[in-house]
Amino acid sequence: MEAEKNSLTTLCYLEQDGKWLMMHRVKKEGDVNRDKWIGVGGHAERYESPEDCLIREVEEETGLRLAGYRFRGIVTFALLGVETQYMCLYTADRWEGELSETCREGVLEWVEKERVPSLNLWAGDLVFFKLLELERPFFSLKLVYDRDVLLECVLDGKPLDYEGFLRGEAAL
């Protein structure tokens, strides 16, 4: 059995006035994120650090140059049959430039934080949004999927009661 490939990616949520900058992934054919709402970011290129990748990807996708960002956690995104991604999750609250009107990967939109859970997200994204809301210090989150079905959710090396956590019933 051949081992799945692994890759380093970045994902960033720009925050402004109680909103997250979200991308509705509707433009690329064969996109694993097709029709989902996610942050901005992408795959690290050869010799790039996570920060190099973050700054380049945000600028390519939004036209904005980050001036203030925070590394919030590492998300192991494992989709069965697809390359596992080690996703460095960032938030940003300062940048320079104007938001681009066009993005080759999707449609950019400022979304009220309260509305985000109603969007078509990966199920596990709700966990890291809640961790961000709780101002949880740096975390490691493992999410295993079979297509769109979340099979496993592990926070800092311990299985997480996904449903209980989202309802506020599961202790961290």
Side-chain angles (χ1 to χ4, degrees):
M1 181 175 181
E2 188 176 321
E4 299 291 337
K5 292 174 75 178
N6 301 316
S7 70
L8 177 72
T9 64
T10 59
L11 182 65
C12 186
Y13 289 94
L14 283 71
E15 183 177 14
Q16 176 177 272
D17 301 326
K19 298 176 182 177
W20 293 118
L21 182 61
M22 305 286 291
M23 181 190 301
H24 191 197
R25 297 289 292 245
V26 293
K27 293 188 177 179
K28 283 174 59 176
E29 292 302 318
D31 185 356
V32 71
N33 292 303
R34 181 89 180 160
D35 296 324
K36 300 266 193 243
W37 289 81
I38 64 171
V40 293
H43 290 266
E45 294 179 352
R46 189 174 210 156
Y47 307 118
E48 275 189 325
S49 70
E51 291 76 18
D52 295 336
C53 176
L54 168 73
I55 291 165
R56 176 185 53 76
E57 285 284 350
V58 169
E59 189 165 12
E60 285 176 6
E61 293 179 356
T62 70
L64 303 173
R65 179 93 177 148
L66 293 181
Y69 56 87
R70 193 167 137 205
F71 193 4
R72 306 300 295 272
I74 184 96
V75 179
T76 303
F77 181 86
L79 182 59
L80 299 182
V82 179
E83 171 180 82
T84 295
Q85 295 178 17
Y86 299 103
M87 193 167 54
C88 298
L89 179 66
Y90 293 85
T91 55
D93 59 4
R94 289 183 293 119
W95 49 85
E96 299 167 351
E98 296 295 320
L99 186 63
S100 176
E101 294 292 319
T102 59
C103 175
R104 71 179 187 277
E105 302 199 17
V107 177
L108 297 170
E109 182 180 328
W110 288 102
V111 178
E112 295 84 9
K113 289 180 178 182
E114 307 79 49
R115 201 178 115 219
V116 168
S118 69
L119 300 175
N120 183 22
L121 307 170
W122 289 98
D125 290 9
L126 294 173
V127 175
F128 64 70
F129 276 118
K130 183 143 182 109
L131 292 167
L132 295 176
E133 177 188 327
L134 295 170
E135 284 294 325
R136 172 78 180 232
F138 191 86
F139 56 86
S140 175
L141 181 64
K142 179 182 176 186
L143 304 168
V144 180
Y145 293 90
D146 185 359
R147 295 183 196 89
D148 275 357
V149 177
L150 182 61
L151 302 176
E152 184 179 11
C153 184
V154 179
L155 178 61
D156 295 331
K158 298 178 185 123
L160 181 67
D161 172 7
Y162 171 79
E163 297 291 337
F165 176 70
L166 294 180
R167 287 190 308 267
E169 299 168 358
L172 293 180

